[in-house]
Amino acid sequence: GAVVSQHPSWVICKSGTSVKIECRSLDFQATTMFWYRQFPKQSLMLMATSNEGSKATYEQGVEKDKFLINHASLTLSTLTVTSAHPEDSSFYICSAHLLAGGYEQYFGPGTRLTVT
Amino acid sequence: GQQLNQSPQSMFIQEGEDVSMNCTSSSIFNTWLWYKQDPGEGPVLLIALYKAGELTSNGRLTAQFGITRKDSFLNISASIPSDVGIYFCAGYDAGNNRKLIWGLGTSLAVNP
């Protein structure tokens, strides 16, 4: 149980284009999902908290107009990187909050974004 | 932002050896989570701890929630090559259960 999927697993795009990443909870409902960014050999950095049916909460320093988050249902959150630049190249990982029994976060497999 | 102190940063061990790593925080935590991350993958939850003093096992893995609520350790017994990866501790500060706080990770290499 508690399986989270992400799509795509990797994507290459050109500067100036937008990229959408999907995060789905496959066998449970998630009122809250989280989007992280991870640079090589570093820990995970929380970008934003995605709440179903309401606006996402962004961490300090994360541009909400650049990283658009939509949590339209209890099993799907999307992250859209708008007007991508090479410095947006990174590993993006989502997680879903499992409230039953505690506050564990279950992670998707990640999406490798390369902006050329 | 707030971060956990995780040590050691890296370990190189022989197959069959036991491994121990730990995390400390400057404030009281009410939840400790241990994750393993393989290259190019998302973190996988290994063990979750919710009570001070709690000792929980998952196969060859054992983790404990420190009595002071400011630390936790993870032990791996009889290591095998597939234990290779980066282990992260994470937790929720008792004053803020909205944001998961992360350690910097322990990179484990196992020599067969």
Side-chain angles (χ1 to χ4, degrees):
Chain A
V3 178
V4 177
S5 70
Q6 268 182 256
H7 178 80
S9 55
W10 61 270
V11 57
I12 301 173
C13 71
K14 293 186 177 181
S15 290
T17 62
S18 296
V19 174
K20 179 185 286 187
I21 303 170
E22 292 186 349
C23 177
R24 294 181 184 272
S25 55
L26 298 185
D27 53 359
F28 66 101
Q29 292 183 329
T31 56
T32 304
M33 289 183 171
F34 304 86
W35 287 96
Y36 291 84
R37 186 173 180 176
Q38 187 178 34
F39 292 103
K41 299 188 185 301
Q42 294 191 21
S43 188
L44 283 74
M45 181 186 75
L46 180 65
M47 298 174 65
T49 301
S50 170
N51 300 296
E52 187 268 336
S54 64
K55 291 182 179 180
T57 303
Y58 290 82
E59 294 299 302
Q60 190 173 7
V62 178
E63 298 176 59
K64 63 180 181 180
D65 294 330
K66 179 168 186 60
F67 298 99
L68 301 179
I69 291 172
N70 186 355
H71 195 153
S73 76
L74 290 173
T75 59
L76 174 64
S77 175
T78 60
L79 168 68
T80 301
V81 182
T82 63
S83 187
H85 289 160
E87 56 263 32
D88 297 327
S89 299
S90 190
F91 192 52
Y92 293 88
I93 317 174
C94 71
S95 70
H97 203 178
L98 187 63
L99 287 181
Y103 285 89
E104 300 99 346
Q105 287 186 25
Y106 291 87
F107 286 82
T111 297
R112 172 71 60 191
L113 170 64
T114 302
V115 184
T116 61
Chain B
Q2 187 180 5
Q3 208 156 48
L4 297 171
N5 294 313
Q6 185 172 350
S7 65
Q9 184 177 0
S10 62
M11 303 181 73
F12 299 88
I13 62 171
Q14 291 293 123
E15 182 177 359
E17 290 183 353
D18 297 343
V19 173
S20 183
M21 58 192 79
N22 68 81
C23 264
T24 60
S25 64
S26 57
S27 57
I28 291 175
F29 273 42
N30 58 18
T31 301
W32 286 96
L33 306 172
W34 285 93
Y35 289 90
K36 180 183 181 228
Q37 185 177 28
D38 291 329
E41 299 288 335
V44 174
L45 181 65
L46 300 174
I47 293 178
L49 303 162
Y50 298 103
K51 296 181 181 178
E54 179 181 356
L55 184 70
T56 298
S57 293
N58 178 5
R60 294 178 295 105
L61 278 62
T62 302
Q64 185 162 29
F65 194 139
I67 292 292
T68 64
R69 298 176 64 189
K70 292 184 176 182
D71 63 324
S72 177
F73 72 74
L74 173 71
N75 286 343
I76 305 173
S77 63
S79 59
I80 58 179
S82 62
D83 291 333
V84 166
I86 300 178
Y87 293 79
F88 289 100
C89 63
Y92 288 101
D93 187 306
N96 180 7
N97 62 4
R98 183 188 69 82
K99 180 177 177 179
L100 197 56
I101 309 301
W102 290 84
L104 294 179
T106 295
S107 177
L108 178 64
V110 179
N111 192 23

